[in-house]
Amino acid sequence: MKLHLAAVVMAGLLMNGVSMAQAAEKTAQQQKMTQCNQHASTQNLKGDARKSFMSECLIKESNISSMTPQQVKMKSCNTAAGDKKLSGDARKSFMSSCLKKA
């Protein structure tokens, strides 16, 4: 009986170890998702702005994951200014305030 119980416990521990090892290994897409989430968090993006950023960041050809947080912020603000069709002084003012946000 003790031998049987010990075998069941050992099998449980082995299976738990295997599943934990698989969980620790992230796919390239999961790693990219983690990086994109970190960049979005540093910019305090919320709602539609976060969704738009995450979508852009996760595109296969996107190189956002290799950009610095400041470069990502610049790209995000530039995209937002383009979406609002801003130009001239209005664009400069928007970009200035967007880039100053923490």
Side-chain angles (χ1 to χ4, degrees), residues 42-44 73 77 84 94 96-102:
T42 60
Q43 297 179 52
N44 294 324
K73 192 174 207 180
C77 292
K84 294 180 180 190
F94 173 80
S96 178
S97 65
C98 182
L99 291 171
K100 287 179 184 175
K101 291 179 183 174

Side-chain angles (χ1 to χ4, degrees), residues 32-63:
K32 193 170 198 176
M33 177 70 109
T34 301
Q35 290 173 334
C36 291
N37 265 321
Q38 289 171 347
H39 284 302
S41 294
T42 60
Q43 297 179 52
N44 294 324
L45 296 176
K46 298 193 186 328
D48 289 338
R50 187 179 184 96
K51 287 179 189 176
S52 175
F53 173 80
M54 290 297 291
S55 177
E56 175 72 24
C57 184
L58 293 171
I59 292 174
K60 192 173 196 172
E61 292 79 29
S62 175
N63 64 351

Side-chain angles (χ1 to χ4, degrees), residues 64-100:
I64 287 178
S65 59
S66 64
M67 293 179 166
T68 67
Q70 184 62 29
Q71 290 172 322
V72 172
K73 192 174 207 180
M74 177 67 103
K75 182 170 178 58
S76 176
C77 292
N78 196 33
T79 301
D83 291 344
K84 294 180 180 190
K85 296 183 169 100
L86 298 175
S87 62
D89 288 338
R91 185 181 187 91
K92 288 178 187 176
S93 176
F94 173 80
M95 290 295 289
S96 178
S97 65
C98 182
L99 291 171
K100 287 179 184 175

